[in-house]
Amino acid sequence: MDTSTIFKAYDIRGLVGSELTPAIAKRIGNALAQWLPLQGPVTVGRDMRPDSAELADALIEGIREQGRDVCDIGQVTSDMIYFAVGHYQLAGGAMITASHNPGAYNGIKLCREEAKPIGSESGLHAIQALLETPVTGETPGALTQKDCVTDWISHVLSFIDTSALKPLHIAVDAGNGMAGKIFPALQQHVPFTVEQLYFELDGTFPNHVANPMLPEALVDIQQVISQKGCDAGLAFDGDGDRAVLLDEKGQPLSGTVLSALLAEHFLQNNPGQTVLLNAICGLAAYEMVEAMGGNAVRTRVGHSYIKADMREQNAIFAAEHSGHYYFKDNFMADSGLIAAVIGLAVLCESGQSLSELARPLREKYQALTETNFTVSDKQAVIEKLAEAFAGEQQDMLDGLTVRFADRSWFNVRPSNTEPLLRLNAEAPSKQRLNELTTLVTNILQG
């Protein structure tokens, strides 16, 4: 059984039918049940893709045949799996989803007790190794169904003062993903008028790719914000664990800007606490943490690293430039809905428009959209860059980061799965950003 192509750095993902099949999902369920350190039930959820139910059933069968009980929570967002494992004190969890990937793909996200991540360095390869030796228990584990939506929404709302919410008019694009099922349950508890876009669950994604980090995925919601005069917009990815907040002009808040606003929110009432920001988050977020008296700590890109670092540092909040936001009181796990709700609460309490709130943070620095370069020898190119900028401040926390005296910086880090180097850069002005980008690009392409 060749599964080398589907076991990634942070999850399992592949083409349905050729790379990821019910038979393989069953083996993965059995291996997960063997590997989990704690005894006890495992929870399983799934997204709305056409083949997710079949894959979930196979995964559940594999877990049960090892003798473990399974709690099936049905169609949910990925962040609800983390919540269920932590809230109900289960041994682990599995979510059938390929997030924002096209409909031909599917995948499995795994976690252990307390919603701790299972990635390439924290158990995923060990589970892969167990696929060849399935274990059958004397008595199959029991299967129960549970609806955890009510508990989840109560948990989400516990992060804000609901009495301070104002009657906002917002647009929400669920992208035909799982947020279309869960967001209506939130609407019952908030004074928002909601313009719904693509709330119909459809894993073929007939309207646009369910990745709100891509400009083309925001065109429709931007039109609705303009036409309806909305105060803000929310766009979710396919499995609902990422959300992009848009202002009343239809402009998305970058991961750095929203990270800064969320960090400010947490540190207002918790001064001196630690906030984690990944290695390519913009300086405006770091500067906000410092201005609020917090302790800003850089961490590697990737949820398994961030969640581990959060526990080690006892961080109250963590953020990635890619739109993943992590919360201490959410079992150190990420959630698009929690981030969105806090962002809207901050807007309500500010007395400003969202563009006014974001303006000082947006104007501080100019950032390059992450750009990929195909190279034959990733490490050799990184070493060449390090030598070219040997006189500047450098670190190798995640790829190569080079910082300059004028507060500009760039990071080049290797892809885990492809012959690519990913370039991020930031500078105090557009001219300086262009100069820096040209210098680095010439070396990358040389």
Side-chain angles (χ1 to χ4, degrees), residues 214-247:
L214 300 178
E216 58 265 32
L218 301 178
V219 172
D220 292 348
I221 191 172
Q222 288 169 329
Q223 290 178 345
V224 171
I225 290 171
S226 176
Q227 293 167 359
K228 301 289 187 177
C230 296
D231 299 304
L234 292 173
F236 290 90
D237 70 350
D239 64 334
D241 66 349
R242 282 193 301 166
V244 168
L245 187 60
L246 296 92
D247 66 25

PDB file of all heavy atoms in Angstrom, residues 214-247:
ATOM      1  N   LEU A 214      -7.338  34.125  -1.829  1.00  0.00           N
ATOM      2  CA  LEU A 214      -7.162  34.446  -3.248  1.00  0.00           C
ATOM      3  C   LEU A 214      -8.094  35.584  -3.652  1.00  0.00           C
ATOM      4  O   LEU A 214      -9.292  35.534  -3.365  1.00  0.00           O
ATOM      5  CB  LEU A 214      -7.444  33.212  -4.111  1.00  0.00           C
ATOM      6  CG  LEU A 214      -6.558  31.996  -3.867  1.00  0.00           C
ATOM      7  CD1 LEU A 214      -6.991  30.840  -4.759  1.00  0.00           C
ATOM      8  CD2 LEU A 214      -5.091  32.345  -4.124  1.00  0.00           C
ATOM      9  N   PRO A 215      -7.577  36.610  -4.329  1.00  0.00           N
ATOM     10  CA  PRO A 215      -8.421  37.753  -4.712  1.00  0.00           C
ATOM     11  C   PRO A 215      -9.655  37.356  -5.513  1.00  0.00           C
ATOM     12  O   PRO A 215     -10.732  37.934  -5.326  1.00  0.00           O
ATOM     13  CB  PRO A 215      -7.471  38.621  -5.549  1.00  0.00           C
ATOM     14  CG  PRO A 215      -6.105  38.275  -5.055  1.00  0.00           C
ATOM     15  CD  PRO A 215      -6.160  36.818  -4.700  1.00  0.00           C
ATOM     16  N   GLU A 216      -9.522  36.349  -6.393  1.00  0.00           N
ATOM     17  CA  GLU A 216     -10.668  35.968  -7.228  1.00  0.00           C
ATOM     18  C   GLU A 216     -11.809  35.368  -6.413  1.00  0.00           C
ATOM     19  O   GLU A 216     -12.967  35.372  -6.852  1.00  0.00           O
ATOM     20  CB  GLU A 216     -10.236  34.987  -8.317  1.00  0.00           C
ATOM     21  CG  GLU A 216      -9.588  33.713  -7.815  1.00  0.00           C
ATOM     22  CD  GLU A 216      -8.064  33.785  -7.781  1.00  0.00           C
ATOM     23  OE1 GLU A 216      -7.525  34.891  -7.542  1.00  0.00           O
ATOM     24  OE2 GLU A 216      -7.422  32.739  -7.997  1.00  0.00           O
ATOM     25  N   ALA A 217     -11.511  34.862  -5.223  1.00  0.00           N
ATOM     26  CA  ALA A 217     -12.559  34.290  -4.378  1.00  0.00           C
ATOM     27  C   ALA A 217     -13.352  35.365  -3.638  1.00  0.00           C
ATOM     28  O   ALA A 217     -14.388  35.057  -3.037  1.00  0.00           O
ATOM     29  CB  ALA A 217     -11.951  33.320  -3.377  1.00  0.00           C
ATOM     30  N   LEU A 218     -12.895  36.618  -3.690  1.00  0.00           N
ATOM     31  CA  LEU A 218     -13.538  37.701  -2.955  1.00  0.00           C
ATOM     32  C   LEU A 218     -14.370  38.625  -3.838  1.00  0.00           C
ATOM     33  O   LEU A 218     -15.031  39.537  -3.331  1.00  0.00           O
ATOM     34  CB  LEU A 218     -12.480  38.529  -2.212  1.00  0.00           C
ATOM     35  CG  LEU A 218     -11.623  37.776  -1.196  1.00  0.00           C
ATOM     36  CD1 LEU A 218     -10.588  38.709  -0.587  1.00  0.00           C
ATOM     37  CD2 LEU A 218     -12.475  37.150  -0.105  1.00  0.00           C
ATOM     38  N   VAL A 219     -14.366  38.389  -5.132  1.00  0.00           N
ATOM     39  CA  VAL A 219     -15.048  39.294  -6.065  1.00  0.00           C
ATOM     40  C   VAL A 219     -16.539  39.410  -5.749  1.00  0.00           C
ATOM     41  O   VAL A 219     -17.098  40.520  -5.683  1.00  0.00           O
ATOM     42  CB  VAL A 219     -14.845  38.833  -7.525  1.00  0.00           C
ATOM     43  CG1 VAL A 219     -15.720  39.650  -8.475  1.00  0.00           C
ATOM     44  CG2 VAL A 219     -13.376  38.946  -7.919  1.00  0.00           C
ATOM     45  N   ASP A 220     -17.208  38.294  -5.525  1.00  0.00           N
ATOM     46  CA  ASP A 220     -18.652  38.320  -5.303  1.00  0.00           C
ATOM     47  C   ASP A 220     -19.025  39.015  -4.002  1.00  0.00           C
ATOM     48  O   ASP A 220     -19.956  39.824  -3.963  1.00  0.00           O
ATOM     49  CB  ASP A 220     -19.211  36.891  -5.314  1.00  0.00           C
ATOM     50  CG  ASP A 220     -19.131  36.247  -6.693  1.00  0.00           C
ATOM     51  OD1 ASP A 220     -18.853  36.972  -7.670  1.00  0.00           O
ATOM     52  OD2 ASP A 220     -19.330  35.033  -6.788  1.00  0.00           O
ATOM     53  N   ILE A 221     -18.305  38.733  -2.930  1.00  0.00           N
ATOM     54  CA  ILE A 221     -18.642  39.371  -1.660  1.00  0.00           C
ATOM     55  C   ILE A 221     -18.328  40.866  -1.697  1.00  0.00           C
ATOM     56  O   ILE A 221     -19.046  41.685  -1.112  1.00  0.00           O
ATOM     57  CB  ILE A 221     -17.939  38.678  -0.472  1.00  0.00           C
ATOM     58  CG1 ILE A 221     -18.526  39.199   0.848  1.00  0.00           C
ATOM     59  CG2 ILE A 221     -16.434  38.863  -0.514  1.00  0.00           C
ATOM     60  CD1 ILE A 221     -18.035  38.451   2.072  1.00  0.00           C
ATOM     61  N   GLN A 222     -17.291  41.243  -2.421  1.00  0.00           N
ATOM     62  CA  GLN A 222     -16.975  42.666  -2.557  1.00  0.00           C
ATOM     63  C   GLN A 222     -18.106  43.413  -3.269  1.00  0.00           C
ATOM     64  O   GLN A 222     -18.453  44.538  -2.888  1.00  0.00           O
ATOM     65  CB  GLN A 222     -15.650  42.833  -3.301  1.00  0.00           C
ATOM     66  CG  GLN A 222     -14.445  42.421  -2.470  1.00  0.00           C
ATOM     67  CD  GLN A 222     -13.159  42.334  -3.263  1.00  0.00           C
ATOM     68  OE1 GLN A 222     -13.163  42.023  -4.452  1.00  0.00           O
ATOM     69  NE2 GLN A 222     -12.031  42.586  -2.616  1.00  0.00           N
ATOM     70  N   GLN A 223     -18.704  42.783  -4.274  1.00  0.00           N
ATOM     71  CA  GLN A 223     -19.833  43.398  -4.974  1.00  0.00           C
ATOM     72  C   GLN A 223     -21.027  43.568  -4.050  1.00  0.00           C
ATOM     73  O   GLN A 223     -21.697  44.608  -4.062  1.00  0.00           O
ATOM     74  CB  GLN A 223     -20.218  42.554  -6.191  1.00  0.00           C
ATOM     75  CG  GLN A 223     -19.189  42.592  -7.312  1.00  0.00           C
ATOM     76  CD  GLN A 223     -19.575  41.697  -8.475  1.00  0.00           C
ATOM     77  OE1 GLN A 223     -20.455  40.839  -8.373  1.00  0.00           O
ATOM     78  NE2 GLN A 223     -18.893  41.874  -9.605  1.00  0.00           N
ATOM     79  N   VAL A 224     -21.299  42.556  -3.228  1.00  0.00           N
ATOM     80  CA  VAL A 224     -22.431  42.629  -2.297  1.00  0.00           C
ATOM     81  C   VAL A 224     -22.199  43.703  -1.237  1.00  0.00           C
ATOM     82  O   VAL A 224     -23.113  44.466  -0.897  1.00  0.00           O
ATOM     83  CB  VAL A 224     -22.688  41.259  -1.638  1.00  0.00           C
ATOM     84  CG1 VAL A 224     -23.710  41.373  -0.515  1.00  0.00           C
ATOM     85  CG2 VAL A 224     -23.156  40.256  -2.677  1.00  0.00           C
ATOM     86  N   ILE A 225     -20.998  43.783  -0.698  1.00  0.00           N
ATOM     87  CA  ILE A 225     -20.680  44.824   0.293  1.00  0.00           C
ATOM     88  C   ILE A 225     -20.952  46.202  -0.288  1.00  0.00           C
ATOM     89  O   ILE A 225     -21.541  47.075   0.371  1.00  0.00           O
ATOM     90  CB  ILE A 225     -19.215  44.695   0.757  1.00  0.00           C
ATOM     91  CG1 ILE A 225     -19.035  43.432   1.606  1.00  0.00           C
ATOM     92  CG2 ILE A 225     -18.782  45.927   1.551  1.00  0.00           C
ATOM     93  CD1 ILE A 225     -17.582  43.107   1.925  1.00  0.00           C
ATOM     94  N   SER A 226     -20.530  46.404  -1.544  1.00  0.00           N
ATOM     95  CA  SER A 226     -20.737  47.699  -2.199  1.00  0.00           C
ATOM     96  C   SER A 226     -22.208  47.967  -2.485  1.00  0.00           C
ATOM     97  O   SER A 226     -22.734  49.039  -2.173  1.00  0.00           O
ATOM     98  CB  SER A 226     -19.927  47.743  -3.493  1.00  0.00           C
ATOM     99  OG  SER A 226     -20.168  48.929  -4.209  1.00  0.00           O
ATOM    100  N   GLN A 227     -22.890  46.986  -3.067  1.00  0.00           N
ATOM    101  CA  GLN A 227     -24.286  47.168  -3.465  1.00  0.00           C
ATOM    102  C   GLN A 227     -25.221  47.323  -2.274  1.00  0.00           C
ATOM    103  O   GLN A 227     -26.191  48.100  -2.335  1.00  0.00           O
ATOM    104  CB  GLN A 227     -24.733  45.992  -4.331  1.00  0.00           C
ATOM    105  CG  GLN A 227     -24.040  45.925  -5.690  1.00  0.00           C
ATOM    106  CD  GLN A 227     -24.264  44.605  -6.401  1.00  0.00           C
ATOM    107  OE1 GLN A 227     -24.926  43.697  -5.885  1.00  0.00           O
ATOM    108  NE2 GLN A 227     -23.690  44.472  -7.599  1.00  0.00           N
ATOM    109  N   LYS A 228     -24.959  46.599  -1.205  1.00  0.00           N
ATOM    110  CA  LYS A 228     -25.852  46.605  -0.041  1.00  0.00           C
ATOM    111  C   LYS A 228     -25.416  47.585   1.052  1.00  0.00           C
ATOM    112  O   LYS A 228     -26.118  47.746   2.053  1.00  0.00           O
ATOM    113  CB  LYS A 228     -25.934  45.193   0.558  1.00  0.00           C
ATOM    114  CG  LYS A 228     -26.445  44.129  -0.414  1.00  0.00           C
ATOM    115  CD  LYS A 228     -27.923  44.301  -0.704  1.00  0.00           C
ATOM    116  CE  LYS A 228     -28.443  43.137  -1.540  1.00  0.00           C
ATOM    117  NZ  LYS A 228     -29.901  43.223  -1.796  1.00  0.00           N
ATOM    118  N   GLY A 229     -24.279  48.220   0.883  1.00  0.00           N
ATOM    119  CA  GLY A 229     -23.797  49.160   1.889  1.00  0.00           C
ATOM    120  C   GLY A 229     -23.475  48.508   3.219  1.00  0.00           C
ATOM    121  O   GLY A 229     -23.812  49.029   4.284  1.00  0.00           O
ATOM    122  N   CYS A 230     -22.805  47.358   3.170  1.00  0.00           N
ATOM    123  CA  CYS A 230     -22.517  46.594   4.380  1.00  0.00           C
ATOM    124  C   CYS A 230     -21.419  47.257   5.222  1.00  0.00           C
ATOM    125  O   CYS A 230     -20.565  47.973   4.701  1.00  0.00           O
ATOM    126  CB  CYS A 230     -22.095  45.170   4.028  1.00  0.00           C
ATOM    127  SG  CYS A 230     -23.391  44.202   3.224  1.00  0.00           S
ATOM    128  N   ASP A 231     -21.464  46.973   6.516  1.00  0.00           N
ATOM    129  CA  ASP A 231     -20.432  47.464   7.433  1.00  0.00           C
ATOM    130  C   ASP A 231     -19.159  46.627   7.365  1.00  0.00           C
ATOM    131  O   ASP A 231     -18.079  47.109   7.709  1.00  0.00           O
ATOM    132  CB  ASP A 231     -20.951  47.441   8.871  1.00  0.00           C
ATOM    133  CG  ASP A 231     -22.170  48.331   9.068  1.00  0.00           C
ATOM    134  OD1 ASP A 231     -22.072  49.529   8.757  1.00  0.00           O
ATOM    135  OD2 ASP A 231     -23.211  47.811   9.520  1.00  0.00           O
ATOM    136  N   ALA A 232     -19.307  45.370   6.962  1.00  0.00           N
ATOM    137  CA  ALA A 232     -18.157  44.460   6.916  1.00  0.00           C
ATOM    138  C   ALA A 232     -18.557  43.207   6.155  1.00  0.00           C
ATOM    139  O   ALA A 232     -19.737  42.998   5.834  1.00  0.00           O
ATOM    140  CB  ALA A 232     -17.694  44.099   8.326  1.00  0.00           C
ATOM    141  N   GLY A 233     -17.562  42.380   5.877  1.00  0.00           N
ATOM    142  CA  GLY A 233     -17.812  41.101   5.219  1.00  0.00           C
ATOM    143  C   GLY A 233     -16.940  40.015   5.821  1.00  0.00           C
ATOM    144  O   GLY A 233     -15.883  40.304   6.399  1.00  0.00           O
ATOM    145  N   LEU A 234     -17.412  38.770   5.703  1.00  0.00           N
ATOM    146  CA  LEU A 234     -16.648  37.602   6.137  1.00  0.00           C
ATOM    147  C   LEU A 234     -16.637  36.591   5.010  1.00  0.00           C
ATOM    148  O   LEU A 234     -17.692  36.279   4.447  1.00  0.00           O
ATOM    149  CB  LEU A 234     -17.275  36.944   7.370  1.00  0.00           C
ATOM    150  CG  LEU A 234     -17.241  37.697   8.688  1.00  0.00           C
ATOM    151  CD1 LEU A 234     -18.067  36.939   9.736  1.00  0.00           C
ATOM    152  CD2 LEU A 234     -15.816  37.868   9.166  1.00  0.00           C
ATOM    153  N   ALA A 235     -15.463  36.071   4.683  1.00  0.00           N
ATOM    154  CA  ALA A 235     -15.347  35.023   3.669  1.00  0.00           C
ATOM    155  C   ALA A 235     -14.617  33.841   4.293  1.00  0.00           C
ATOM    156  O   ALA A 235     -13.520  34.006   4.844  1.00  0.00           O
ATOM    157  CB  ALA A 235     -14.585  35.532   2.447  1.00  0.00           C
ATOM    158  N   PHE A 236     -15.241  32.652   4.216  1.00  0.00           N
ATOM    159  CA  PHE A 236     -14.689  31.448   4.828  1.00  0.00           C
ATOM    160  C   PHE A 236     -14.092  30.519   3.781  1.00  0.00           C
ATOM    161  O   PHE A 236     -14.485  30.547   2.611  1.00  0.00           O
ATOM    162  CB  PHE A 236     -15.778  30.689   5.597  1.00  0.00           C
ATOM    163  CG  PHE A 236     -16.247  31.373   6.845  1.00  0.00           C
ATOM    164  CD1 PHE A 236     -17.310  32.273   6.807  1.00  0.00           C
ATOM    165  CD2 PHE A 236     -15.632  31.126   8.059  1.00  0.00           C
ATOM    166  CE1 PHE A 236     -17.749  32.903   7.963  1.00  0.00           C
ATOM    167  CE2 PHE A 236     -16.063  31.751   9.217  1.00  0.00           C
ATOM    168  CZ  PHE A 236     -17.127  32.647   9.167  1.00  0.00           C
ATOM    169  N   ASP A 237     -13.183  29.656   4.232  1.00  0.00           N
ATOM    170  CA  ASP A 237     -12.678  28.626   3.339  1.00  0.00           C
ATOM    171  C   ASP A 237     -13.577  27.394   3.412  1.00  0.00           C
ATOM    172  O   ASP A 237     -14.584  27.375   4.123  1.00  0.00           O
ATOM    173  CB  ASP A 237     -11.211  28.293   3.624  1.00  0.00           C
ATOM    174  CG  ASP A 237     -10.998  27.568   4.944  1.00  0.00           C
ATOM    175  OD1 ASP A 237     -11.943  27.474   5.739  1.00  0.00           O
ATOM    176  OD2 ASP A 237      -9.873  27.088   5.179  1.00  0.00           O
ATOM    177  N   GLY A 238     -13.230  26.347   2.654  1.00  0.00           N
ATOM    178  CA  GLY A 238     -14.130  25.221   2.479  1.00  0.00           C
ATOM    179  C   GLY A 238     -14.502  24.502   3.759  1.00  0.00           C
ATOM    180  O   GLY A 238     -15.652  24.095   3.944  1.00  0.00           O
ATOM    181  N   ASP A 239     -13.527  24.315   4.656  1.00  0.00           N
ATOM    182  CA  ASP A 239     -13.836  23.598   5.895  1.00  0.00           C
ATOM    183  C   ASP A 239     -14.078  24.537   7.067  1.00  0.00           C
ATOM    184  O   ASP A 239     -14.223  24.089   8.208  1.00  0.00           O
ATOM    185  CB  ASP A 239     -12.744  22.584   6.230  1.00  0.00           C
ATOM    186  CG  ASP A 239     -11.390  23.231   6.508  1.00  0.00           C
ATOM    187  OD1 ASP A 239     -11.143  24.337   6.003  1.00  0.00           O
ATOM    188  OD2 ASP A 239     -10.573  22.616   7.216  1.00  0.00           O
ATOM    189  N   GLY A 240     -14.146  25.836   6.793  1.00  0.00           N
ATOM    190  CA  GLY A 240     -14.601  26.797   7.782  1.00  0.00           C
ATOM    191  C   GLY A 240     -13.642  27.132   8.894  1.00  0.00           C
ATOM    192  O   GLY A 240     -14.024  27.809   9.853  1.00  0.00           O
ATOM    193  N   ASP A 241     -12.382  26.716   8.810  1.00  0.00           N
ATOM    194  CA  ASP A 241     -11.468  27.034   9.904  1.00  0.00           C
ATOM    195  C   ASP A 241     -10.648  28.295   9.639  1.00  0.00           C
ATOM    196  O   ASP A 241      -9.857  28.708  10.480  1.00  0.00           O
ATOM    197  CB  ASP A 241     -10.548  25.855  10.228  1.00  0.00           C
ATOM    198  CG  ASP A 241      -9.578  25.510   9.100  1.00  0.00           C
ATOM    199  OD1 ASP A 241      -9.752  26.040   7.986  1.00  0.00           O
ATOM    200  OD2 ASP A 241      -8.665  24.696   9.335  1.00  0.00           O
ATOM    201  N   ARG A 242     -10.843  28.906   8.469  1.00  0.00           N
ATOM    202  CA  ARG A 242     -10.214  30.198   8.181  1.00  0.00           C
ATOM    203  C   ARG A 242     -11.282  31.191   7.740  1.00  0.00           C
ATOM    204  O   ARG A 242     -12.214  30.843   7.008  1.00  0.00           O
ATOM    205  CB  ARG A 242      -9.176  30.072   7.066  1.00  0.00           C
ATOM    206  CG  ARG A 242      -7.868  29.481   7.514  1.00  0.00           C
ATOM    207  CD  ARG A 242      -6.806  29.670   6.457  1.00  0.00           C
ATOM    208  NE  ARG A 242      -7.161  29.056   5.189  1.00  0.00           N
ATOM    209  CZ  ARG A 242      -6.556  29.291   4.039  1.00  0.00           C
ATOM    210  NH1 ARG A 242      -5.571  30.171   3.984  1.00  0.00           N
ATOM    211  NH2 ARG A 242      -6.917  28.668   2.936  1.00  0.00           N
ATOM    212  N   ALA A 243     -11.134  32.426   8.181  1.00  0.00           N
ATOM    213  CA  ALA A 243     -12.054  33.482   7.774  1.00  0.00           C
ATOM    214  C   ALA A 243     -11.263  34.744   7.469  1.00  0.00           C
ATOM    215  O   ALA A 243     -10.322  35.084   8.185  1.00  0.00           O
ATOM    216  CB  ALA A 243     -13.072  33.770   8.873  1.00  0.00           C
ATOM    217  N   VAL A 244     -11.638  35.421   6.392  1.00  0.00           N
ATOM    218  CA  VAL A 244     -11.057  36.719   6.045  1.00  0.00           C
ATOM    219  C   VAL A 244     -12.105  37.784   6.321  1.00  0.00           C
ATOM    220  O   VAL A 244     -13.271  37.654   5.921  1.00  0.00           O
ATOM    221  CB  VAL A 244     -10.620  36.758   4.572  1.00  0.00           C
ATOM    222  CG1 VAL A 244     -10.300  38.184   4.141  1.00  0.00           C
ATOM    223  CG2 VAL A 244      -9.398  35.867   4.363  1.00  0.00           C
ATOM    224  N   LEU A 245     -11.693  38.818   7.032  1.00  0.00           N
ATOM    225  CA  LEU A 245     -12.573  39.942   7.364  1.00  0.00           C
ATOM    226  C   LEU A 245     -12.342  41.057   6.354  1.00  0.00           C
ATOM    227  O   LEU A 245     -11.196  41.427   6.093  1.00  0.00           O
ATOM    228  CB  LEU A 245     -12.275  40.410   8.786  1.00  0.00           C
ATOM    229  CG  LEU A 245     -13.178  41.462   9.417  1.00  0.00           C
ATOM    230  CD1 LEU A 245     -14.621  40.983   9.497  1.00  0.00           C
ATOM    231  CD2 LEU A 245     -12.661  41.819  10.818  1.00  0.00           C
ATOM    232  N   LEU A 246     -13.436  41.568   5.767  1.00  0.00           N
ATOM    233  CA  LEU A 246     -13.348  42.657   4.797  1.00  0.00           C
ATOM    234  C   LEU A 246     -13.988  43.906   5.387  1.00  0.00           C
ATOM    235  O   LEU A 246     -14.992  43.833   6.112  1.00  0.00           O
ATOM    236  CB  LEU A 246     -14.067  42.296   3.497  1.00  0.00           C
ATOM    237  CG  LEU A 246     -13.499  41.119   2.695  1.00  0.00           C
ATOM    238  CD1 LEU A 246     -14.196  39.817   3.098  1.00  0.00           C
ATOM    239  CD2 LEU A 246     -13.657  41.343   1.195  1.00  0.00           C
ATOM    240  N   ASP A 247     -13.429  45.075   5.050  1.00  0.00           N
ATOM    241  CA  ASP A 247     -14.001  46.318   5.570  1.00  0.00           C
ATOM    242  C   ASP A 247     -15.180  46.773   4.718  1.00  0.00           C
ATOM    243  O   ASP A 247     -15.574  46.107   3.753  1.00  0.00           O
ATOM    244  CB  ASP A 247     -12.927  47.405   5.690  1.00  0.00           C
ATOM    245  CG  ASP A 247     -12.362  47.859   4.342  1.00  0.00           C
ATOM    246  OD1 ASP A 247     -13.047  47.726   3.299  1.00  0.00           O
ATOM    247  OD2 ASP A 247     -11.222  48.376   4.319  1.00  0.00           O
TER     248      ASP A 247
END
